[in-house]
Amino acid sequence: MSRSTTQRRGYHHGDLRAELVREGIALLAETGVAGFSVAKVAIRAGVSSAAPYRHFPDREALLAACAAGIIAEITGLLAEAAEEAGPDPVDRLAATAGAYTRYVLDHRAGIDLVYAHDFTGPHHLAVQEQSRRLTDTLMDLASAVLPDDTSWAEIADFVYVHLSTTHGYAVLLLKGARPPQDADGHAARAVTAARDHISGHLVRLRDRSMPS
Amino acid sequence: MSRSTTQRRGYHHGDLRAELVREGIALLAETGVAGFSVAKVAIRAGVSSAAPYRHFPDREALLAACAAGIIAEITGLLAEAAEEAGPDPVDRLAATAGAYTRYVLDHRAGIDLVYAHDFTGPHHLAVQEQSRRLTDTLMDLASAVLPDDTSWAEIADFVYVHLSTTHGYAVLLLKGARPPQDADGHAARAVTAARDHISGHLVRLRDRSMPS
DNA sequence: TACATAAGTAAGAGTACTCTAACATTGAGA
DNA sequence: TCTCAATGTTAGAGTACTCTTACTTATGTA
């Protein structure tokens, strides 16, 4: 890992593939999917517009690599946030909402790629793999929150809604639909929203197991 | 309102502006913002690719008109769903989550326009007006759920998270991130998620007002 | 050191789109 | 009925992008 920076050495780049993904993610953050083009990414990376085609068969493949990179980065941040949140399972799961919000605020439109694009095909296995890892991370955290006899499907359902809440909150923030605050304030509110969802869910489980 | 259909009468269309918005919304539903073009909308409406420019100064204006139309339609559906849900305030608010989910499932990618695009500028007052109406509708429903002495800002905050949860759930559905179900099943799960959020929020309010 | 190969460049064909300009048709009111 | 403003049409200039082809340069290995 001697040269992971943006510096270019000469005719050959060194690690153009990785740099294209980095610049692609940055471009997505600035312009969203609509403003994304292979040519722009190439210019940002300081190479000709044909160079990316040595590393990616087409635009779609570069886009997919960026998506996989974004998801992988988010997964890492969520795991890290959970770790820092301490031992309480609810604290740990709720903390992921804050980290997610922070990421979206930092990377703005980049996030719409992951959710406004179809990566379900067989050409996008890397994206699917990263999505699975993200889900697995949340499943682990969620299973510590829910009762021991909760089925896998019920955990998945719960995780899905947790991620929905978190994602929805962060995405709406990007619309400026809220009075501007600092990132910390938004992240804290996201954590509270996650807590509300968790506690509401647990209350419902309790009420279901011992009806009035 | 004698001719609101798609039929064309002759050289002149009759109400091309409205039809462009309709077809634009339909195109957005199929392809998302990335696949949206003035030319395609014109073809769908059966007119030349220059005709839309008689009604909209540029592509952005047509896009904004579509967004305003989408938001207006959603607002109507939410109000209707609340009405049909009966007298209980929680039922009424939670019902909006189901209606929203149903709309997104029916119109798929159309929704990403509203949230993946910037309509905050002074040229997009129509979009902002429709957004305000949607928020007002939810504010009314939310204020019936919360204690009487809740401040406007707190209601707005609560509404924001309610909408986040709902929107996030619906958007993630579009990714096929869930085992496919019928729309009714998804809508019902969205309502439950909204209920969990509402009850969790109310529990927190109660705990705050009478600490242990 | 020779050289095969990986990884870059330049040039451009082909496509799609936005928006404009000049012209055609129609309907509604004077 | 006449006329003109509104609303269509065709043609095309200008732009941006994707992806290919042929060529160039650097690099690692025999």
Side-chain angles (χ1 to χ4, degrees):
Chain A
M1 203 182 283
S2 58
R3 305 188 340 94
S4 65
T5 62
T6 306
Q7 302 311 317
R8 188 165 178 193
R9 194 160 48 180
Y11 191 94
H12 282 79
H13 183 284
D15 192 4
L16 182 56
R17 189 195 152 93
E19 172 137 350
L20 290 170
V21 171
R22 269 196 302 276
E23 291 297 339
I25 290 173
L27 177 61
L28 284 165
E30 290 172 22
T31 67
V33 183
F36 181 91
S37 81
V38 175
K40 283 186 198 159
V41 175
I43 289 170
R44 293 178 72 113
V47 295
S48 72
S49 62
Y53 292 94
R54 293 282 175 211
H55 299 274
F56 301 96
D58 53 24
R59 176 193 134 108
E60 194 67 11
L62 175 54
L63 210 43
C66 293
I70 290 172
I71 300 172
E73 193 171 347
I74 293 176
T75 303
L77 291 172
L78 299 195
E80 195 182 311
E83 215 49 50
E84 290 172 0
D88 180 73
V90 172
D91 287 345
R92 291 165 66 83
L93 181 58
T96 62
Y100 192 95
T101 299
R102 229 179 269 276
Y103 182 88
V104 171
L105 284 174
D106 285 349
H107 295 75
R108 301 198 69 80
I111 203 68
D112 73 344
L113 167 61
V114 179
Y115 294 104
H117 219 78
D118 186 14
F119 292 116
T120 52
H123 293 294
H124 301 317
L125 295 180
V127 179
Q128 293 159 33
E129 164 66 14
Q130 294 302 330
S131 295
R132 198 186 52 69
R133 284 193 50 220
L134 192 157
T135 303
D136 284 352
T137 300
L138 290 176
M139 290 282 287
D140 283 350
L141 294 168
S143 63
V145 167
L146 298 173
D148 285 344
D149 61 345
T150 308
S151 72
W152 187 90
E154 282 175 304
I155 300 174
D157 180 83
F158 175 72
V159 160
Y160 186 84
V161 176
H162 169 73
L163 187 56
S164 297
T165 302
T166 302
H167 176 67
Y169 182 84
V171 167
L172 259 61
L173 275 184
L174 294 183
K175 293 295 87 189
R178 299 226 80 186
Q181 280 182 41
D182 59 343
D184 286 344
H186 287 309
R189 181 64 184 92
V191 171
T192 301
R195 283 184 184 287
D196 285 352
H197 166 243
I198 295 169
S199 75
H201 189 93
L202 293 177
V203 164
R204 178 160 54 85
L205 288 186
R206 175 158 33 81
D207 291 353
R208 193 209 287 164
S209 63
M210 9 173 178
S212 62
Chain B
M1 202 180 283
S2 56
R3 304 188 343 93
S4 64
T5 61
T6 304
Q7 302 312 319
R8 188 164 179 197
R9 196 157 51 179
Y11 192 93
H12 283 83
H13 184 283
D15 192 2
L16 181 55
R17 190 194 152 92
E19 172 139 351
L20 290 170
V21 171
R22 269 196 302 277
E23 290 297 339
I25 291 174
L27 177 61
L28 284 165
E30 290 171 22
T31 67
V33 183
F36 181 92
S37 83
V38 175
K40 283 186 198 160
V41 175
I43 289 170
R44 293 179 71 115
V47 295
S48 73
S49 62
Y53 293 93
R54 293 285 175 208
H55 299 273
F56 300 96
D58 54 24
R59 177 194 133 108
E60 194 69 11
L62 175 54
L63 211 42
C66 292
I70 289 172
I71 300 172
E73 193 172 346
I74 292 175
T75 303
L77 290 172
L78 299 195
E80 194 182 312
E83 215 48 50
E84 289 172 359
D88 180 72
V90 173
D91 287 345
R92 289 166 66 83
L93 181 59
T96 62
Y100 192 94
T101 299
R102 229 178 268 276
Y103 182 89
V104 172
L105 284 174
D106 284 350
H107 296 75
R108 301 197 67 82
I111 204 67
D112 75 342
L113 167 62
V114 178
Y115 295 104
H117 219 78
D118 186 14
F119 293 117
T120 53
H123 292 295
H124 300 316
L125 296 179
V127 179
Q128 293 159 34
E129 163 67 13
Q130 293 304 329
S131 295
R132 199 186 52 68
R133 284 193 50 220
L134 192 156
T135 304
D136 285 352
T137 299
L138 289 176
M139 290 284 286
D140 283 349
L141 294 168
S143 63
V145 167
L146 298 173
D148 285 344
D149 61 346
T150 308
S151 73
W152 187 90
E154 283 174 304
I155 300 173
D157 182 81
F158 175 72
V159 159
Y160 187 83
V161 177
H162 169 74
L163 187 55
S164 298
T165 303
T166 302
H167 175 66
Y169 182 84
V171 167
L172 259 62
L173 273 185
L174 295 184
K175 294 294 89 189
R178 296 227 81 185
Q181 280 181 41
D182 58 343
D184 285 344
H186 287 310
R189 183 63 184 93
V191 170
T192 301
R195 283 184 184 285
D196 285 351
H197 166 244
I198 294 168
S199 75
H201 188 94
L202 294 178
V203 165
R204 179 161 53 85
L205 289 185
R206 175 157 34 82
D207 291 352
R208 192 210 289 164
S209 63
M210 11 170 177
S212 66

